Amino acid sequence: MSPTAPRAPGRLLRALPVPTGPGVLDLLPVLADALAGRSDTAWHPHAAGAAPHPALRTGEPLAPGEDDPDDPTAFAVATSGSTGTPKGALLSAGALRASADATAARLSAPTAGTTAGTGREQWVLALPAHHVAGLQVLLRSVRAGTEPVVVDTTGGFDPAAFAAATAARTAPRLLTSLVPTQLLRLLDAGGEATAALAAHDAVLVGAAATPAPLLARARAAGVRVVTTYGMSETCGGCVYDGRPLDGVAAHVRDDGRLELTGPVVARGYRGLPAHPAFRTAPDGTRTFRTDDAAEVRTDGDGTLVRVTGRLDDLITTGGLKVAPALVEEALAAAPGVAEAVVVGAPDPEWGERVVAAVVPLPGTAPALAQLRAVVRERVAAHAAPRQLLLLDALPLRGPGKPDRAALRALATRSRPGGERPVTDG
């Protein structure tokens, strides 16, 4: 082709409606072709009954740089949009295969090449499959050569349905992926629901930070919990229990921002060429710059990553910085606290005040003074919350992520005398 010849149009990006019930299994042949790199189209998975995300421009060809004939783009997965408008992470077939194989290796299952068609490993799908974590459950099943058991979440997550799905297993090894809220509900349900959790060889828990008391409670019940960290841009979880998957490298920039490098990193964002979050080395190795602050160190077992929170969630109160993740960790261990999220709200005196949104344990009502004392002792005096929101449930977005924007708005309008239970100090 001469330099002035027109470029042939790229493969189309098409919408892929994804149901929440057993009908999702009808998509397995499509997913298998995409994972193998033999599909003549790329796909944007979205919730059935909802429109595709307009920013992903389904029905239009992939642009130059958004595809590669040697490693075709399989999916454009919408991000959670926690820092603004959701974007479409372009996940190649090779990146998804690398993610599935690294997960199988980390969970001590045989590699995908030896399990295909043997039926040794089975996943339980309990997450929406248009989000990357749920999609990965399906893709890992395809890679392992087994059919997943589907929990019908059309009417919401039901612990009894999870237990029934677990009982329907047909393979010796059982795996699932959950968000912390689901883990909490299954433990609270007790009985068959908790027994179903304990029957899994691994329960991946991600999308949001899992409070240490919840982890301890799950492990005391015999649940083999594996905490995961990742995002759509890294094909989902790529750090398990603080350890990067094989082939994944983590390092922290001078500004404290975590970067992840390896074969699981997305090609980029749909319609956003040369986005600064991505860079590609001359040898083709891709790096993604996250929006999270972290600490990375090396010990006798390799690299250990500790994520301390999103950089844009940092609270500046009285001129001092507060990392919400550290305060949330302290609050989660306080008496009477089932769940806690910390945000900053505008304050005329402090610039921002630290706000604790707490779901109390049944029959309890933690007091602000009590929680402030816990945070002073475990974190720092300036990090102690000055406002407390007692809620029946945390507002969520996506697959189990706390909606911090909604909590900031609630804290801003909920002053003493408001409609919600609020205490100020």
Side-chain angles (χ1 to χ4, degrees):
M1 180 182 294
S2 69
T4 58
R7 183 184 294 270
R11 295 158 67 240
L12 288 180
L13 176 64
R14 293 175 57 189
L16 184 66
V18 180
T20 55
V24 73
L25 297 178
D26 295 337
L27 301 181
L28 289 179
V30 173
L31 302 183
D33 284 344
L35 187 63
R38 58 176 178 256
S39 177
D40 61 359
T41 188
W43 298 100
H44 164 40
H46 65 93
H53 196 284
L56 272 67
R57 306 200 317 272
T58 54
E60 298 182 20
L62 295 170
E66 294 185 344
D67 205 4
D68 183 341
D70 295 327
D71 184 16
T73 293
F75 300 100
V77 177
T79 67
S80 62
S82 57
T83 58
T85 303
K87 299 178 283 290
L90 300 167
L91 306 181
S92 73
L96 290 162
R97 293 194 300 268
S99 175
D101 291 351
T103 294
R106 180 58 56 86
L107 299 180
S108 300
T111 61
T114 62
T115 61
T118 65
R120 287 189 50 81
E121 176 182 299
Q122 190 170 33
W123 285 82
V124 171
L125 175 66
L127 294 170
H130 61 283
H131 291 294
V132 71
L135 178 65
Q136 279 285 39
V137 167
L138 298 180
L139 296 175
R140 291 167 187 152
S141 299
V142 168
R143 191 71 170 151
T146 56
E147 183 175 285
V149 185
V150 179
V151 180
D152 191 346
T153 58
T154 303
F157 180 70
D158 180 6
F162 181 87
T166 301
R169 65 186 295 173
T170 58
R173 284 181 50 81
L174 198 62
L175 310 163
T176 194
S177 184
L178 304 173
V179 297
T181 299
Q182 291 174 314
L183 178 63
L184 177 63
R185 289 180 183 174
L186 288 165
L187 292 172
D188 284 347
E192 292 183 355
T194 300
L197 274 173
H200 283 72
D201 292 272
V203 177
L204 307 186
V205 181
T210 307
L214 178 57
L215 285 176
R217 181 183 172 193
R219 287 168 176 154
V223 183
R224 302 174 185 90
V225 177
V226 178
T227 61
T228 70
Y229 168 79
M231 55 281 298
S232 300
E233 293 89 343
T234 59
C235 292
C238 64
V239 177
Y240 285 15
D241 285 336
R243 306 286 182 180
L245 293 178
D246 294 347
V248 176
H251 71 277
V252 175
R253 292 158 42 112
D254 290 343
D255 62 358
R257 187 185 303 267
L258 177 65
E259 289 191 328
L260 299 165
T261 298
V264 301
V265 172
R267 179 161 283 135
Y269 291 129
R270 169 69 159 159
L272 298 170
H275 193 283
F278 294 93
R279 70 173 186 273
T280 302
D283 65 356
T285 302
R286 296 188 297 273
T287 295
F288 175 65
R289 184 194 69 193
T290 76
D291 289 314
D292 292 321
E295 301 168 352
V296 176
R297 62 182 177 87
T298 302
D299 60 16
D301 295 320
T303 301
L304 184 62
V305 180
R306 180 173 183 260
V307 177
T308 57
R310 296 186 69 86
L311 289 169
D312 55 359
D313 285 337
L314 286 176
I315 303 165
T316 302
T317 181
L320 299 173
K321 299 289 187 183
V322 174
L326 300 181
V327 182
E328 290 164 0
E329 185 177 310
L331 291 175
V337 175
E339 298 178 89
V341 173
V342 171
V343 298
D347 189 275
E349 180 179 358
W350 300 97
E352 286 184 289
R353 63 182 177 274
V354 179
V355 181
V358 169
V359 177
L361 291 171
T364 68
L368 178 62
Q370 169 196 11
L371 299 181
R372 282 176 59 83
V374 169
V375 175
R376 283 195 196 99
E377 179 182 352
R378 292 174 177 258
V379 186
H382 71 273
R386 297 180 177 278
Q387 182 179 356
L388 172 62
L389 305 176
L390 292 178
L391 306 176
D392 294 331
L394 295 173
L396 302 176
R397 56 173 177 76
K401 295 178 182 287
D403 191 337
R404 295 179 185 273
L407 289 172
R408 280 190 287 269
L410 177 60
T412 299
R413 69 174 183 266
S414 296
R415 306 297 293 168
E419 297 179 357
R420 299 294 186 101
V422 178
T423 307
D424 271 276

